[in-house]
Amino acid sequence: MSDLKHQECEACHADAPKVSDEELRELMKEIPDWVPESRNGVLQLERVYKFKNFKQAWAFSNKVAQLAEDEFHHPSLLLEWGKLTVTWWTHAIGGLHRNDFIMAAKTDALLDD
Ligand SMILES: C[C@H](O)[C@H](O)[C@H]1CNC2=NC(N)=NC(=O)C2=N1
């Protein structure tokens, strides 16, 4: 079992491979709190993080935004009172790349910071 959160994203380009069904099944085991969602034919990874209030959710969203900039791979973030919904997918390929699983694992690791 590889340790996704310690891996680095690779540069992504339009002909980069999407994860296969088998890779998806295997990689999902490493990020059990995430859910694969298909939206308009685009497979994405999503997790809703719960917090005590808006301020804590906001603070976590800032950490995720900084992570995204550090890795130059960016999520969708929905910031609400007591919740932050984080959604990862690779725009360039219109689906899931290994990078998205690495970023989901790194996002989870931010909770321990
Ligand atoms: C315009 C910019 O190069 C692109 O958006 C980069 C940076 N961030 C990205 N983030 C994600 N999630 N997917 C991409 O394909 C991507 N590509």
Side-chain angles (χ1 to χ4, degrees), residues 57-88:
W58 181 9
F60 188 66
S61 73
N62 286 334
K63 288 184 178 181
V64 180
Q66 186 59 61
L67 169 68
E69 274 300 291
D70 294 346
E71 296 288 338
F72 202 62
H73 197 71
H74 303 86
S76 162
L77 299 175
L78 175 60
L79 176 58
E80 301 170 271
W81 194 97
K83 288 199 296 187
L84 179 70
T85 301
V86 183
T87 308
W88 289 104

mmCIF file of all heavy atoms in Angstrom, residues 57-88:
data_model
loop_
_atom_site.group_PDB
_atom_site.id
_atom_site.type_symbol
_atom_site.label_atom_id
_atom_site.label_comp_id
_atom_site.label_asym_id
_atom_site.label_seq_id
_atom_site.Cartn_x
_atom_site.Cartn_y
_atom_site.Cartn_z
ATOM 1 N N ALA A 57 -14.079 26.362 9.465
ATOM 2 C CA ALA A 57 -14.151 25.849 8.088
ATOM 3 C C ALA A 57 -13.354 26.755 7.149
ATOM 4 O O ALA A 57 -12.618 26.291 6.269
ATOM 5 C CB ALA A 57 -15.610 25.774 7.649
ATOM 6 N N TRP A 58 -13.460 28.046 7.371
ATOM 7 C CA TRP A 58 -12.739 29.054 6.575
ATOM 8 C C TRP A 58 -11.228 28.868 6.727
ATOM 9 O O TRP A 58 -10.489 28.852 5.738
ATOM 10 C CB TRP A 58 -13.186 30.434 7.050
ATOM 11 C CG TRP A 58 -12.604 31.619 6.372
ATOM 12 C CD1 TRP A 58 -11.835 31.653 5.246
ATOM 13 C CD2 TRP A 58 -12.766 32.966 6.814
ATOM 14 N NE1 TRP A 58 -11.498 32.952 4.944
ATOM 15 C CE2 TRP A 58 -12.058 33.779 5.891
ATOM 16 C CE3 TRP A 58 -13.433 33.577 7.873
ATOM 17 C CZ2 TRP A 58 -12.001 35.158 6.018
ATOM 18 C CZ3 TRP A 58 -13.373 34.970 7.986
ATOM 19 C CH2 TRP A 58 -12.677 35.740 7.068
ATOM 20 N N ALA A 59 -10.785 28.680 7.945
ATOM 21 C CA ALA A 59 -9.347 28.493 8.214
ATOM 22 C C ALA A 59 -8.835 27.229 7.489
ATOM 23 O O ALA A 59 -7.756 27.248 6.877
ATOM 24 C CB ALA A 59 -9.114 28.384 9.718
ATOM 25 N N PHE A 60 -9.636 26.165 7.506
ATOM 26 C CA PHE A 60 -9.205 24.945 6.819
ATOM 27 C C PHE A 60 -9.179 25.157 5.305
ATOM 28 O O PHE A 60 -8.273 24.690 4.617
ATOM 29 C CB PHE A 60 -10.118 23.775 7.188
ATOM 30 C CG PHE A 60 -9.636 22.437 6.673
ATOM 31 C CD1 PHE A 60 -8.466 21.874 7.152
ATOM 32 C CD2 PHE A 60 -10.349 21.763 5.689
ATOM 33 C CE1 PHE A 60 -8.007 20.639 6.673
ATOM 34 C CE2 PHE A 60 -9.902 20.531 5.200
ATOM 35 C CZ PHE A 60 -8.736 19.979 5.695
ATOM 36 N N SER A 61 -10.147 25.931 4.818
ATOM 37 C CA SER A 61 -10.163 26.195 3.364
ATOM 38 C C SER A 61 -8.910 26.939 2.936
ATOM 39 O O SER A 61 -8.369 26.710 1.851
ATOM 40 C CB SER A 61 -11.412 27.000 2.980
ATOM 41 O OG SER A 61 -11.322 28.355 3.413
ATOM 42 N N ASN A 62 -8.401 27.810 3.814
ATOM 43 C CA ASN A 62 -7.161 28.523 3.488
ATOM 44 C C ASN A 62 -5.982 27.555 3.407
ATOM 45 O O ASN A 62 -5.100 27.698 2.559
ATOM 46 C CB ASN A 62 -6.888 29.616 4.531
ATOM 47 C CG ASN A 62 -7.811 30.809 4.364
ATOM 48 O OD1 ASN A 62 -8.298 31.074 3.261
ATOM 49 N ND2 ASN A 62 -8.096 31.498 5.445
ATOM 50 N N LYS A 63 -5.964 26.561 4.285
ATOM 51 C CA LYS A 63 -4.876 25.575 4.261
ATOM 52 C C LYS A 63 -4.934 24.756 2.960
ATOM 53 O O LYS A 63 -3.911 24.493 2.332
ATOM 54 C CB LYS A 63 -4.991 24.619 5.454
ATOM 55 C CG LYS A 63 -4.651 25.228 6.803
ATOM 56 C CD LYS A 63 -4.721 24.152 7.885
ATOM 57 C CE LYS A 63 -4.345 24.680 9.234
ATOM 58 N NZ LYS A 63 -4.408 23.592 10.279
ATOM 59 N N VAL A 64 -6.151 24.392 2.558
ATOM 60 C CA VAL A 64 -6.300 23.604 1.326
ATOM 61 C C VAL A 64 -5.907 24.450 0.113
ATOM 62 O O VAL A 64 -5.230 23.969 -0.799
ATOM 63 C CB VAL A 64 -7.746 23.084 1.181
ATOM 64 C CG1 VAL A 64 -7.888 22.264 -0.109
ATOM 65 C CG2 VAL A 64 -8.150 22.231 2.383
ATOM 66 N N ALA A 65 -6.274 25.722 0.153
ATOM 67 C CA ALA A 65 -5.913 26.615 -0.963
ATOM 68 C C ALA A 65 -4.402 26.754 -1.085
ATOM 69 O O ALA A 65 -3.842 26.724 -2.192
ATOM 70 C CB ALA A 65 -6.568 27.985 -0.765
ATOM 71 N N GLN A 66 -3.720 26.837 0.053
ATOM 72 C CA GLN A 66 -2.253 26.951 0.020
ATOM 73 C C GLN A 66 -1.618 25.648 -0.505
ATOM 74 O O GLN A 66 -0.694 25.677 -1.313
ATOM 75 C CB GLN A 66 -1.700 27.264 1.414
ATOM 76 C CG GLN A 66 -0.190 27.530 1.415
ATOM 77 C CD GLN A 66 0.173 28.693 0.514
ATOM 78 O OE1 GLN A 66 -0.265 29.832 0.727
ATOM 79 N NE2 GLN A 66 0.988 28.456 -0.521
ATOM 80 N N LEU A 67 -2.174 24.521 -0.062
ATOM 81 C CA LEU A 67 -1.701 23.226 -0.560
ATOM 82 C C LEU A 67 -1.849 23.166 -2.080
ATOM 83 O O LEU A 67 -0.941 22.744 -2.798
ATOM 84 C CB LEU A 67 -2.510 22.096 0.081
ATOM 85 C CG LEU A 67 -2.347 20.696 -0.504
ATOM 86 C CD1 LEU A 67 -0.951 20.159 -0.224
ATOM 87 C CD2 LEU A 67 -3.413 19.752 0.061
ATOM 88 N N ALA A 68 -2.975 23.626 -2.574
ATOM 89 C CA ALA A 68 -3.239 23.605 -4.017
ATOM 90 C C ALA A 68 -2.204 24.443 -4.761
ATOM 91 O O ALA A 68 -1.656 24.026 -5.786
ATOM 92 C CB ALA A 68 -4.644 24.114 -4.298
ATOM 93 N N GLU A 69 -1.919 25.602 -4.241
ATOM 94 C CA GLU A 69 -0.918 26.462 -4.885
ATOM 95 C C GLU A 69 0.476 25.819 -4.810
ATOM 96 O O GLU A 69 1.225 25.856 -5.789
ATOM 97 C CB GLU A 69 -0.897 27.850 -4.231
ATOM 98 C CG GLU A 69 -1.929 28.795 -4.822
ATOM 99 C CD GLU A 69 -1.715 29.030 -6.315
ATOM 100 O OE1 GLU A 69 -0.721 29.672 -6.683
ATOM 101 O OE2 GLU A 69 -2.521 28.482 -7.120
ATOM 102 N N ASP A 70 0.797 25.235 -3.669
ATOM 103 C CA ASP A 70 2.117 24.584 -3.526
ATOM 104 C C ASP A 70 2.305 23.472 -4.557
ATOM 105 O O ASP A 70 3.376 23.281 -5.098
ATOM 106 C CB ASP A 70 2.271 24.006 -2.109
ATOM 107 C CG ASP A 70 2.303 25.080 -1.037
ATOM 108 O OD1 ASP A 70 2.483 26.280 -1.382
ATOM 109 O OD2 ASP A 70 2.120 24.726 0.149
ATOM 110 N N GLU A 71 1.218 22.732 -4.806
ATOM 111 C CA GLU A 71 1.295 21.583 -5.724
ATOM 112 C C GLU A 71 0.857 21.931 -7.144
ATOM 113 O O GLU A 71 0.914 21.100 -8.043
ATOM 114 C CB GLU A 71 0.401 20.458 -5.194
ATOM 115 C CG GLU A 71 0.838 19.888 -3.856
ATOM 116 C CD GLU A 71 2.109 19.038 -3.967
ATOM 117 O OE1 GLU A 71 2.406 18.555 -5.079
ATOM 118 O OE2 GLU A 71 2.797 18.899 -2.943
ATOM 119 N N PHE A 72 0.331 23.177 -7.297
ATOM 120 C CA PHE A 72 -0.240 23.645 -8.574
ATOM 121 C C PHE A 72 -1.250 22.636 -9.117
ATOM 122 O O PHE A 72 -1.247 22.259 -10.292
ATOM 123 C CB PHE A 72 0.824 23.979 -9.605
ATOM 124 C CG PHE A 72 0.298 24.929 -10.655
ATOM 125 C CD1 PHE A 72 -0.136 26.200 -10.294
ATOM 126 C CD2 PHE A 72 0.188 24.539 -11.981
ATOM 127 C CE1 PHE A 72 -0.652 27.075 -11.245
ATOM 128 C CE2 PHE A 72 -0.342 25.414 -12.936
ATOM 129 C CZ PHE A 72 -0.759 26.674 -12.570
ATOM 130 N N HIS A 73 -2.108 22.193 -8.242
ATOM 131 C CA HIS A 73 -3.221 21.325 -8.605
ATOM 132 C C HIS A 73 -4.366 21.785 -7.713
ATOM 133 O O HIS A 73 -4.200 21.870 -6.495
ATOM 134 C CB HIS A 73 -2.886 19.845 -8.350
ATOM 135 C CG HIS A 73 -3.791 18.894 -9.056
ATOM 136 N ND1 HIS A 73 -3.769 18.715 -10.425
ATOM 137 C CD2 HIS A 73 -4.765 18.078 -8.591
ATOM 138 C CE1 HIS A 73 -4.685 17.815 -10.763
ATOM 139 N NE2 HIS A 73 -5.295 17.410 -9.682
ATOM 140 N N HIS A 74 -5.502 22.161 -8.317
ATOM 141 C CA HIS A 74 -6.506 22.945 -7.598
ATOM 142 C C HIS A 74 -7.852 22.238 -7.504
ATOM 143 O O HIS A 74 -8.326 21.661 -8.480
ATOM 144 C CB HIS A 74 -6.640 24.300 -8.286
ATOM 145 C CG HIS A 74 -5.346 25.037 -8.362
ATOM 146 N ND1 HIS A 74 -4.431 24.838 -9.390
ATOM 147 C CD2 HIS A 74 -4.763 25.915 -7.523
ATOM 148 C CE1 HIS A 74 -3.370 25.605 -9.195
ATOM 149 N NE2 HIS A 74 -3.535 26.259 -8.057
ATOM 150 N N PRO A 75 -8.482 22.326 -6.328
ATOM 151 C CA PRO A 75 -9.794 21.699 -6.107
ATOM 152 C C PRO A 75 -10.912 22.698 -6.292
ATOM 153 O O PRO A 75 -10.718 23.902 -6.435
ATOM 154 C CB PRO A 75 -9.701 21.312 -4.630
ATOM 155 C CG PRO A 75 -8.951 22.472 -4.026
ATOM 156 C CD PRO A 75 -7.954 22.914 -5.084
ATOM 157 N N SER A 76 -12.113 22.150 -6.219
ATOM 158 C CA SER A 76 -13.288 22.980 -5.983
ATOM 159 C C SER A 76 -13.501 22.999 -4.473
ATOM 160 O O SER A 76 -13.400 21.964 -3.816
ATOM 161 C CB SER A 76 -14.505 22.357 -6.685
ATOM 162 O OG SER A 76 -15.702 22.883 -6.147
ATOM 163 N N LEU A 77 -13.778 24.177 -3.927
ATOM 164 C CA LEU A 77 -14.022 24.322 -2.487
ATOM 165 C C LEU A 77 -15.365 24.993 -2.287
ATOM 166 O O LEU A 77 -15.599 26.078 -2.819
ATOM 167 C CB LEU A 77 -12.923 25.194 -1.838
ATOM 168 C CG LEU A 77 -11.484 24.676 -1.928
ATOM 169 C CD1 LEU A 77 -10.518 25.711 -1.353
ATOM 170 C CD2 LEU A 77 -11.348 23.351 -1.217
ATOM 171 N N LEU A 78 -16.249 24.328 -1.512
ATOM 172 C CA LEU A 78 -17.519 24.967 -1.141
ATOM 173 C C LEU A 78 -17.483 25.222 0.360
ATOM 174 O O LEU A 78 -17.494 24.267 1.164
ATOM 175 C CB LEU A 78 -18.705 24.061 -1.497
ATOM 176 C CG LEU A 78 -20.080 24.569 -1.036
ATOM 177 C CD1 LEU A 78 -20.415 25.922 -1.638
ATOM 178 C CD2 LEU A 78 -21.163 23.533 -1.372
ATOM 179 N N LEU A 79 -17.386 26.494 0.700
ATOM 180 C CA LEU A 79 -17.258 26.901 2.099
ATOM 181 C C LEU A 79 -18.627 27.315 2.619
ATOM 182 O O LEU A 79 -19.271 28.203 2.059
ATOM 183 C CB LEU A 79 -16.288 28.072 2.199
ATOM 184 C CG LEU A 79 -16.085 28.700 3.582
ATOM 185 C CD1 LEU A 79 -15.598 27.662 4.579
ATOM 186 C CD2 LEU A 79 -15.123 29.885 3.472
ATOM 187 N N GLU A 80 -19.074 26.622 3.701
ATOM 188 C CA GLU A 80 -20.383 26.908 4.310
ATOM 189 C C GLU A 80 -20.195 26.984 5.820
ATOM 190 O O GLU A 80 -19.143 26.592 6.344
ATOM 191 C CB GLU A 80 -21.376 25.782 3.985
ATOM 192 C CG GLU A 80 -21.608 25.540 2.498
ATOM 193 C CD GLU A 80 -22.400 24.263 2.262
ATOM 194 O OE1 GLU A 80 -21.777 23.196 2.132
ATOM 195 O OE2 GLU A 80 -23.646 24.344 2.213
ATOM 196 N N TRP A 81 -21.235 27.386 6.536
ATOM 197 C CA TRP A 81 -21.136 27.437 7.989
ATOM 198 C C TRP A 81 -20.903 26.006 8.500
ATOM 199 O O TRP A 81 -21.701 25.115 8.261
ATOM 200 C CB TRP A 81 -22.429 27.999 8.619
ATOM 201 C CG TRP A 81 -22.234 28.375 10.058
ATOM 202 C CD1 TRP A 81 -21.964 29.615 10.568
ATOM 203 C CD2 TRP A 81 -22.245 27.473 11.187
ATOM 204 N NE1 TRP A 81 -21.823 29.559 11.923
ATOM 205 C CE2 TRP A 81 -21.985 28.256 12.337
ATOM 206 C CE3 TRP A 81 -22.449 26.102 11.330
ATOM 207 C CZ2 TRP A 81 -21.923 27.708 13.618
ATOM 208 C CZ3 TRP A 81 -22.380 25.554 12.600
ATOM 209 C CH2 TRP A 81 -22.124 26.359 13.729
ATOM 210 N N GLY A 82 -19.767 25.775 9.139
ATOM 211 C CA GLY A 82 -19.492 24.478 9.760
ATOM 212 C C GLY A 82 -19.110 23.361 8.797
ATOM 213 O O GLY A 82 -18.964 22.212 9.202
ATOM 214 N N LYS A 83 -18.939 23.700 7.505
ATOM 215 C CA LYS A 83 -18.612 22.654 6.518
ATOM 216 C C LYS A 83 -17.680 23.199 5.437
ATOM 217 O O LYS A 83 -17.772 24.368 5.050
ATOM 218 C CB LYS A 83 -19.880 22.177 5.793
ATOM 219 C CG LYS A 83 -20.809 21.348 6.615
ATOM 220 C CD LYS A 83 -21.771 20.542 5.728
ATOM 221 C CE LYS A 83 -22.702 21.366 4.907
ATOM 222 N NZ LYS A 83 -23.706 20.524 4.197
ATOM 223 N N LEU A 84 -16.801 22.333 4.964
ATOM 224 C CA LEU A 84 -16.037 22.615 3.739
ATOM 225 C C LEU A 84 -16.103 21.357 2.868
ATOM 226 O O LEU A 84 -15.698 20.292 3.299
ATOM 227 C CB LEU A 84 -14.578 22.945 4.040
ATOM 228 C CG LEU A 84 -13.738 23.222 2.790
ATOM 229 C CD1 LEU A 84 -14.150 24.560 2.144
ATOM 230 C CD2 LEU A 84 -12.251 23.220 3.106
ATOM 231 N N THR A 85 -16.671 21.545 1.661
ATOM 232 C CA THR A 85 -16.717 20.437 0.705
ATOM 233 C C THR A 85 -15.552 20.599 -0.265
ATOM 234 O O THR A 85 -15.413 21.650 -0.896
ATOM 235 C CB THR A 85 -18.043 20.437 -0.081
ATOM 236 O OG1 THR A 85 -19.134 20.331 0.844
ATOM 237 C CG2 THR A 85 -18.099 19.262 -1.056
ATOM 238 N N VAL A 86 -14.694 19.581 -0.292
ATOM 239 C CA VAL A 86 -13.514 19.607 -1.174
ATOM 240 C C VAL A 86 -13.715 18.566 -2.268
ATOM 241 O O VAL A 86 -14.066 17.435 -2.009
ATOM 242 C CB VAL A 86 -12.231 19.293 -0.393
ATOM 243 C CG1 VAL A 86 -11.004 19.395 -1.302
ATOM 244 C CG2 VAL A 86 -12.077 20.243 0.806
ATOM 245 N N THR A 87 -13.519 19.044 -3.527
ATOM 246 C CA THR A 87 -13.697 18.159 -4.681
ATOM 247 C C THR A 87 -12.459 18.227 -5.565
ATOM 248 O O THR A 87 -12.034 19.325 -5.943
ATOM 249 C CB THR A 87 -14.932 18.576 -5.507
ATOM 250 O OG1 THR A 87 -16.066 18.676 -4.631
ATOM 251 C CG2 THR A 87 -15.240 17.556 -6.597
ATOM 252 N N TRP A 88 -11.873 17.065 -5.813
ATOM 253 C CA TRP A 88 -10.661 16.994 -6.643
ATOM 254 C C TRP A 88 -10.958 16.261 -7.956
ATOM 255 O O TRP A 88 -11.632 15.235 -7.965
ATOM 256 C CB TRP A 88 -9.559 16.228 -5.913
ATOM 257 C CG TRP A 88 -8.941 16.920 -4.747
ATOM 258 C CD1 TRP A 88 -9.176 16.655 -3.417
ATOM 259 C CD2 TRP A 88 -7.985 17.975 -4.769
ATOM 260 N NE1 TRP A 88 -8.427 17.504 -2.631
ATOM 261 C CE2 TRP A 88 -7.685 18.315 -3.434
ATOM 262 C CE3 TRP A 88 -7.352 18.685 -5.804
ATOM 263 C CZ2 TRP A 88 -6.773 19.319 -3.095
ATOM 264 C CZ3 TRP A 88 -6.450 19.684 -5.465
ATOM 265 C CH2 TRP A 88 -6.175 19.998 -4.138
#
